[in-house]
């Protein structure tokens, strides 16, 4: 949704603006005044110049999004995309490094360099190596795996850095523009974990850009766990060894028990068997079978209960299979359930300065957004009590995690302006000496 920003600078307001901008961010009122037609931020000519940078540069931003999306970034193989982003952030005038985890970090020093705000977009996709990632374009619409999730976020990161540098904005706090690794699948948020670990003592806020749209703000981190159950046995011939315990049979028996587990509607709790594999041929009794389960809940207690249920069900499945085996002489079944990853939960306080900055930005661009609970990079800082939120970076998208994924850049300016205003709202704009 595109709407004109109401700029009506007056001398008096400009004065107020200078005073307000010089104030520490934490002293801002927790709730943005709903009736305001203008704000200190929007009255600042440099902020306006940064906001105005987006519209004439939309096609450049779209081109970068397509280019970066066409560099494959499967889980644990983000390096080539990271290298390309490093170059682009350096061209934007940031000092850029790649950390041990593989995160690209572009730094824009603030007046108070000790206080840090991270703006991040994950680099990785869910798509395995070899997936066709060519971007097909038709007008403002682009189609390719990963184009929206998270081509949109990565392109926005770059656009924000460019806009801020173009306008020569001087900020109170240091901003780190980060393309981070390991958000999807079994990455287990390792990039964000490493970032928070490194900057924890100075980290004031984390703004995560993930996907498109401007209709939501994720302030509640959905807790999840990913588990793998595996069963092994001696294996044998389908005919001559018939009657031996079969790991696939045991896994199926255990799975049937597990999927009958009752979960509450509130707190909302879900489970999904997402992958199942095992065996080597149709006429062999397999020696191994595995499945992967994703469990999510608004309550950590429910997660713990579901994880125990999975262990009990797999154990029972193995027991059932052993009990019904005719021939136990060649060995028995072994089983284990391992934690592949866990995302801790958490929540941003409703009176946090970061949420106030987002609300003020929404108001300025004429956007309305709803609070959401979701599982994102923001889980890590939120679980540690660090202010964080995750938003879409504008435009529209769909078919995330599918080969038909698409992105339409129409109206993406609103998302970029909203994001920039949120970042500036929490980083603070430094007072200029000669005005
Ligand atoms: Zn994503």
């Amino acid at each position: 949704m595109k709407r004109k920003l109401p700029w009506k600078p007056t001398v008096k307001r400009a004065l107020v603006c200078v005073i307000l901008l010089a104030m520490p961010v934490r002293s801002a009122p927790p709730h943005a005044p709903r009736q305001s037609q203008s704000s200190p931020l929007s009255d600042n000519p440099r902020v306006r110049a940064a906001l105005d940078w987006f519209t004439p540069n939309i096609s450049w931003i779209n081109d970068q999004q397509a280019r970066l999306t066409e560099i494959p970034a499967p889980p644990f193989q983000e390096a080539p995309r990271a290298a390309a982003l490093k170059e682009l952030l350096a061209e934007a005038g940031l000092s850029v490094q790649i950390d041990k985890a593989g995160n690209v970090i572009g730094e824009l020093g603030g007046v108070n360099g000790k206080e840090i705000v991270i703006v991040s977009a994950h680099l990785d996709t869910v798509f395995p190596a070899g997936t066709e990632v060519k971007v097909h374009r038709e007008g403002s619409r682009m189609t390719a795996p990963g184009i929206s999730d998270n081509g949109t976020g990565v392109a926005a990161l770059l656009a924000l850095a460019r806009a801020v540098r173009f306008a020569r904005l001087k900020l109170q706090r240091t901003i780190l523009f980060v393309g981070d690794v390991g958000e999807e699948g079994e990455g287990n948020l390792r990039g964000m974990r490493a970032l928070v670990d490194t900057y924890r003592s100075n980290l004031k806020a984390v703004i995560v850009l993930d996907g498109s749209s401007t209709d939501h703000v994720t302030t509640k981190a959905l807790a999840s766990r990913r588990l793998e159950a595996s069963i092994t046995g001696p294996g044998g011939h389908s005919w001559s060894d018939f009657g031996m315990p079969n790991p696939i049979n045991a896994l199926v028996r255990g799975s049937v028990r597990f999927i009958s587990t009752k979960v509450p509607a509130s707190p909302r709790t879900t489970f999904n068997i997402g992958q199942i594999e095992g065996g080597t041929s149709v006429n062999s009794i397999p020696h191994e079978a595995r499945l992967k389960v994703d469990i999510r809940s608004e309550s950590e207690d429910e997660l713990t209960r579901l994880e125990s249920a999975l262990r009990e069900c797999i154990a029972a499945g193995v027991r059932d299979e052993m009990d019904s085996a005719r021939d136990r002489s060649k060995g028995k079944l072994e089983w284990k359930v391992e934690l592949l990853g866990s995302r801790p939960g958490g929540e941003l306080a409703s009176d946090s300065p970061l949420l106030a900055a987002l609300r003020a930005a929404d108001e300025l661009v004429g956007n309305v957004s709803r609070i959401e609970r979701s599982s994102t990079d923001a889980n890590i800082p939120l679980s540690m009590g660090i202010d964080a939120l995750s938003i879409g970076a504008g435009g529209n998208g769909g078919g995330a995690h599918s080969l038909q994924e698409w992105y339409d850049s129409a109206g993406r300016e609103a998302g970029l302006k909203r994001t920039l205003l949120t970042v500036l709202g929490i980083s603070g704009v430094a007072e200029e000496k000669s005005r």
Side-chain angles (χ1 to χ4, degrees):
M1 180 103 172
K2 251 166 45 178
R3 233 188 266 179
K4 271 234 162 113
L5 301 183
W7 311 123
K8 287 186 220 148
T10 63
V11 177
K12 198 175 160 194
R13 208 179 276 146
L15 242 174
V16 172
C17 126
V18 170
I19 294 164
L20 283 180
L21 288 179
M23 282 163 59
V25 174
R26 287 256 166 199
S27 68
H31 297 285
R34 300 292 302 168
Q35 76 282 4
S36 86
Q37 284 301 298
S38 186
S39 85
L41 269 185
S42 59
D43 280 349
N44 182 312
R46 289 203 193 277
V47 173
R48 286 214 306 273
L51 290 166
D52 289 343
W53 183 87
F54 297 122
T55 304
N57 288 289
I58 287 297
S59 65
W60 182 84
I61 299 169
N62 293 344
D63 290 349
Q64 302 314 311
Q65 181 169 343
R67 208 188 116 201
L68 288 164
T69 301
E70 287 180 346
I71 303 171
F76 302 98
Q77 296 171 58
E78 299 98 337
R81 187 176 287 181
L85 180 64
K86 182 184 178 199
E87 214 166 282
L88 286 164
L89 288 175
E91 276 171 24
L94 304 183
S95 72
V96 196
Q97 48 137 336
I98 294 182
D99 72 5
K100 274 196 201 126
N103 297 311
V104 186
I105 305 170
E107 181 176 336
L108 183 68
V111 173
N112 179 359
K114 285 217 173 97
E115 296 191 341
I116 288 172
V117 172
I118 286 178
V119 186
S120 74
H122 70 83
L123 294 167
D124 55 323
T125 70
V126 293
F127 303 99
T131 304
E132 174 58 78
V133 288
K134 175 117 194 65
V135 176
H136 297 277
R137 299 175 73 158
E138 216 184 313
S140 60
R141 194 177 160 106
M142 301 192 271
T143 310
I147 187 70
S148 177
D149 179 15
N150 192 23
T152 310
V154 176
L157 190 75
L158 187 59
L160 292 174
R162 282 251 161 187
V164 169
R165 291 286 298 164
F166 167 80
R168 296 173 192 277
L169 266 166
K170 196 96 191 97
L171 305 176
Q172 288 286 358
R173 290 171 165 167
T174 289
I175 301 186
L176 301 181
F177 295 89
V178 182
D180 65 306
V181 298
E183 196 273 342
E184 300 282 11
E186 288 164 34
N188 201 25
L189 310 183
R190 71 179 192 288
M192 185 54 78
R193 284 178 208 268
L195 283 170
V196 173
D197 203 42
T198 304
Y199 299 102
R200 187 170 185 175
S201 51
N202 300 323
L203 192 53
K204 297 300 168 190
V206 180
I207 297 167
V208 174
L209 307 178
D210 200 345
S212 54
S213 92
T214 54
D215 61 355
H216 70 278
V217 49
T218 301
T219 61
K220 301 175 185 201
L222 178 62
S224 71
R225 290 183 201 175
R226 283 149 195 203
L227 300 144
E228 182 177 63
S230 56
I231 302 175
T232 53
H237 192 276
S238 62
W239 170 257
S240 54
D241 295 317
F242 179 71
M244 268 174 71
N246 177 322
I248 290 184
N249 290 1
L251 196 71
V252 170
R253 291 177 195 273
S255 302
V256 168
R257 283 173 178 258
F258 178 67
I259 59 178
S260 311
T261 307
K262 294 268 180 287
V263 289
S266 173
R268 184 170 153 79
T269 303
T270 64
F271 58 80
N272 181 58
I273 297 180
Q275 262 181 301
I276 185 159
E277 53 192 11
T280 51
S281 75
V282 69
N283 54 347
S284 302
I285 296 170
H287 50 80
E288 192 181 18
R290 289 184 305 277
L291 65 75
K292 288 179 185 171
V293 187
D294 166 284
I295 59 179
R296 301 179 183 218
S297 181
E298 291 170 357
S299 144
E300 288 277 353
D301 288 350
E302 286 300 326
L303 277 189
T304 303
R305 200 179 65 82
L306 255 185
E307 184 178 336
S308 310
L310 180 65
R311 289 178 197 282
E312 281 159 25
C313 291
I314 295 298
V318 167
R319 221 168 36 237
D320 292 350
E321 177 64 11
M322 288 302 293
D323 286 349
S324 60
R326 277 198 260 172
D327 178 2
R328 284 171 235 169
S329 63
K330 286 182 188 133
K332 61 184 179 95
L333 299 178
E334 304 285 349
W335 69 274
K336 64 180 177 198
V337 171
E338 285 179 309
L339 190 63
L340 296 176
S342 107
R343 296 182 173 203
E347 240 176 86
L348 178 65
S350 59
D351 63 350
S352 73
L354 179 58
L355 188 55
L358 182 278
R359 290 300 187 208
D362 266 348
E363 174 137 345
L364 272 164
V365 299
N367 185 57
V368 177
S369 62
R370 60 172 195 283
I371 298 270
E372 255 187 22
R373 184 186 296 274
S374 180
S375 179
T376 69
D377 264 336
N379 279 49
I380 298 302
L382 284 174
S383 74
M384 294 169 154
I386 297 165
D387 284 4
L389 52 77
S390 173
I391 52 177
N396 281 298
H401 297 193
S402 82
L403 297 176
Q404 291 76 40
E405 188 171 343
W406 59 273
Y407 175 71
D408 194 322
S409 65
R412 86 180 298 168
E413 295 92 323
L416 292 167
K417 288 176 180 175
R418 174 190 189 225
T419 307
L420 178 64
L421 287 165
T422 306
V423 172
L424 298 181
I426 199 65
S427 63
V429 176
E431 184 185 356
E432 290 193 43
K433 284 180 191 103
S434 54
R435 282 194 66 195

